[in-house]
Amino acid sequence: MSGQKSRGSWRSQIGFIFAASGSAIGLGNIVFFGSNAYRFGGGAFYLPYLTALFVIGIPLMIMEFGLGSITGRSFPEAMHRLAGKSGQFVGWWALLNAAFIAMYYVTILAWVTGMMIGSFGELFATSAFSLPAFGLSSEQLPSRAHAFFFDMLSSWQTVAFVFIVWGLNIYLVRRGAETIERAVRVFVPLMWAFMIVLIIRGVTLPNGFHGILKLFTPDFDGISNFQVWQGAFSQMFFSLTLGFGVMTTYASYLPKEADQINNSLMVSFMNCGFEFIAGLAIFSLLFVFSLTPTASTLSMTFFVVPAGIAQLPALVQAFGFLFFLLLLLAGLSSSISLVEGFVSALLDKFRMNRARAVLYVSGACILGSLACALPKVIDAGLNSNGTLGLTLVDLIDHWAFSYGLIIVGLAECILIGWVFGVSKLREAINAHSKFRLGVWFDWLIKLVIPILILLPLVSNGFAELSGLYGSSYQLGEWSWLPVSVFSVWIIGTLTLAAVFTFKGHYLQG
Ligand code: PHE
């Protein structure tokens, strides 16, 4: 029997909280939140955002944690126990979809590593820059950060960084909960400390406070737009690591009697608190130097924020290094959770050796991360999609992030709500909690959340599939790319999910 011992367990409650909040707090909080808020209407974004947090995010986290502690199993098996084969299929699909996210997520971390190393070198140097980057002209490289970034992308260095970041991932999950806990106990407090340093720097700049207003000035034009709502929901799923199958696995390493309502509230508030102060730090910095935030999350990370840091009165290199180190630590504590979520599911079902499972999962993802690091220029217009790698990141992100996560959330609600019967899960969760969920929770899971997710999904989905996302790119001879990425994602994940579901069987049922 593969008993509880070999699955691993957290040494302490706080270890679990660090691990789960480390998974939640990542690139999503530090840069994606700010640019999404800016793109989706500043202060007006808070209405969909808070709806997403209280109506969808926290209840789903309670459900995903509850699933883990009640079954003591990883996501596909937990879903199988509650809802049979279709539950298991959704479980695998969630992990595969999340693996696509891990591919580009690690590539972004590879670029972050390059920028971090460059902080003490060319990135913030004051001499004129004359970088060869793909032979682009200086008008195409409006800032030193642009030049540095594209130069890095053109040089294959990122391939080495991809291996380094995956190497770190493998090292940190090599013994599952045990090594993860040791890492997050260091990473998470450091992340908070670095963030606090950055916010103090931001708001103590002359006028820094005004930037914050920008983040709160509401632009209500967007609020009636379904895209804004879907944007807020996807951002919340991504940020809280919901629909990834990760939270269930992490909760399965806790004792059965853990208070999951308390845990969910703690992790959600820590995550959104972090996101909130990150928004303040970044917007104050940008405002002072009259930099316009951009809707593109990657431009914010690699161009706009570094351009702001470059104009700080002192310690430019140190702040630059700190910013990218913060991103790297936050990103690593997220990506390891995904590897662990997948590995643990493989161990539960196929009872293979842990080292081998880690190698399979990371090996497959490394190929994807390398593809996202390809330097070939395919859009000379550089509409923020200058290279093949960047375009791939954008396209995969579009499907796996904007659609994949919320589709998993919808399927979870329907299967647990209607097939299993959410009241049974609610009673099991209530049995170990001081706070008690009422019948309202059942209706939230059965009806309210599905409707909230379905409305934008259907309205945007149809429009997109007819145009198959791509018309906005100037891809020339690469115009086949958007359709191919969509096909690989949808056919690949569905087929593999079916293979994992029907191959082998669980010890019980
Ligand atoms: N929650 C993470 C973030 O906000 C997203 C993530 C989780 C990405 C797990 C990869 C793996 O950045």
Side-chain angles (χ1 to χ4, degrees):
M1 275 291 292
S2 55
Q4 198 63 28
K5 206 166 115 245
S6 63
R7 291 191 84 254
S9 57
W10 304 114
R11 273 188 300 149
S12 60
Q13 160 77 7
I14 189 79
F16 164 74
I17 294 291
F18 275 156
S21 65
S23 168
I25 299 172
L27 300 177
N29 304 64
I30 303 168
V31 274
F32 299 180
F33 168 73
S35 55
N36 279 332
Y38 180 74
R39 160 164 52 175
F40 295 129
F45 184 66
Y46 283 93
L47 183 61
Y49 177 84
L50 291 174
T51 310
L53 172 63
F54 288 104
V55 182
I56 302 182
I58 296 176
L60 281 188
M61 185 165 300
I62 294 176
M63 190 165 87
E64 290 201 357
F65 276 167
L67 214 58
S69 69
I70 282 150
T71 61
R73 286 293 180 269
S74 58
F75 196 52
E77 185 170 357
M79 287 293 286
H80 182 100
R81 290 194 180 183
L82 268 57
K85 277 246 157 38
S86 46
Q88 189 190 151
F89 178 81
V90 170
W92 289 111
W93 193 71
L95 290 174
L96 288 158
N97 185 57
F100 267 83
I101 293 183
M103 291 175 188
Y104 74 78
Y105 199 83
V106 170
T107 307
I108 299 177
L109 292 180
W111 295 332
V112 163
T113 308
M115 298 292 272
M116 184 180 85
I117 295 172
S119 293
F120 284 108
E122 276 291 316
L123 177 56
F124 296 114
T126 43
S127 54
F129 62 84
S130 55
L131 294 167
F134 299 123
L136 298 167
S137 67
S138 51
E139 298 95 75
Q140 286 168 313
L141 301 171
S143 77
R144 191 177 190 96
H146 282 81
F148 182 88
F149 181 74
F150 282 109
D151 190 54
M152 175 172 78
L153 258 59
S154 69
S155 70
W156 296 99
Q157 282 175 45
T158 40
V159 168
F161 295 138
V162 163
F163 280 110
I164 292 175
V165 178
W166 270 112
L168 287 170
N169 273 289
I170 294 171
Y171 180 76
L172 297 174
V173 297
R174 71 194 187 287
R175 288 206 205 93
E178 185 194 326
T179 40
I180 292 175
E181 184 165 350
R182 252 189 271 154
V184 293
R185 274 173 178 267
V186 180
F187 288 9
V188 174
L190 274 181
M191 277 147 54
W192 281 95
F194 292 171
M195 196 68 240
I196 290 169
V197 173
L198 289 177
I199 186 162
I200 293 178
R201 180 61 287 197
V203 295
T204 52
L205 286 166
N207 268 332
F209 234 80
H210 286 98
I212 293 171
L213 291 179
K214 207 167 179 143
L215 192 57
F216 292 108
T217 312
D219 163 11
F220 286 105
D221 287 354
I223 211 102
S224 57
N225 184 340
F226 274 139
Q227 256 171 333
V228 172
W229 287 83
Q230 188 176 346
F233 297 166
S234 303
Q235 165 71 25
M236 190 54 68
F237 271 85
F238 186 82
S239 182
L240 291 176
T241 320
L242 297 172
F244 282 80
V246 162
M247 291 308 186
T248 296
T249 300
Y250 269 12
S252 77
Y253 299 151
L254 278 174
K256 272 200 182 338
E257 56 287 348
D259 181 344
Q260 295 303 5
I261 301 180
N262 189 32
N263 287 342
S264 306
L265 290 172
M266 219 142 63
V267 173
S268 306
F269 288 136
M270 275 166 88
N271 178 71
C272 293
F274 197 93
E275 188 152 275
F276 188 73
I277 60 169
L280 300 185
I282 287 174
F283 274 71
S284 55
L285 175 75
L286 299 187
F287 181 85
V288 174
F289 302 115
S290 337
L291 290 159
T292 320
T294 63
S296 154
T297 49
L298 291 180
S299 310
M300 278 284 264
T301 317
F302 295 111
F303 311 142
V304 185
V305 175
I309 291 175
Q311 295 185 51
L312 286 172
L315 297 173
V316 167
Q317 296 175 325
F319 277 110
F321 183 82
L322 199 73
F323 173 70
F324 287 111
L325 180 60
L326 165 64
L327 287 177
L328 184 62
L329 294 180
L332 271 174
S333 56
S334 297
S335 60
I336 53 176
S337 71
L338 199 128
V339 181
E340 180 60 21
F342 213 129
V343 164
S344 146
L346 291 177
L347 297 184
D348 280 350
K349 184 158 195 184
F350 303 105
R351 292 175 285 283
M352 56 171 79
N353 159 301
R354 170 171 266 277
R356 178 174 296 189
V358 172
L359 230 60
Y360 284 159
V361 173
S362 35
C365 289
I366 286 173
L367 295 180
S369 299
L370 288 175
C372 290
L374 290 177
K376 172 117 179 65
V377 178
I378 60 172
D379 175 8
L382 278 182
N383 297 325
S384 75
N385 301 302
T387 71
L388 183 51
L390 277 171
T391 311
L392 273 177
V393 170
D394 218 41
L395 289 168
I396 300 175
D397 173 75
H398 183 70
W399 294 108
F401 169 93
S402 301
Y403 287 88
L405 299 175
I406 60 173
I407 293 174
V408 172
L410 178 66
E412 272 177 69
C413 288
I414 291 172
L415 288 171
I416 294 175
W418 298 93
V419 178
F420 175 70
V422 60
S423 51
K424 285 183 262 172
L425 181 71
R426 173 169 56 88
E427 277 156 24
I429 294 172
N430 277 344
H432 304 296
S433 172
K434 281 182 251 76
F435 183 85
R436 308 194 129 253
L437 301 168
V439 194
W440 53 267
F441 183 79
D442 300 4
W443 290 108
L444 220 52
I445 300 291
K446 284 164 93 157
L447 220 58
V448 179
I449 301 179
I451 291 175
L452 280 176
I453 293 180
L454 260 172
L455 282 179
L457 195 63
V458 171
S459 113
N460 295 332
F462 277 122
E464 286 234 49
L465 283 176
S466 47
L468 242 180
Y469 187 72
S471 45
S472 59
Y473 289 92
Q474 308 162 2
L475 291 172
E477 53 172 325
W478 292 84
S479 59
W480 49 270
L481 200 65
V483 180
S484 311
V485 169
F486 173 73
S487 315
V488 169
W489 168 67
I490 194 78
I491 299 172
T493 51
L494 290 176
T495 315
L496 280 172
V499 170
F500 284 129
T501 305
F502 291 105
K503 214 173 154 340
H505 47 82
Y506 290 117
L507 287 178
Q508 313 162 345

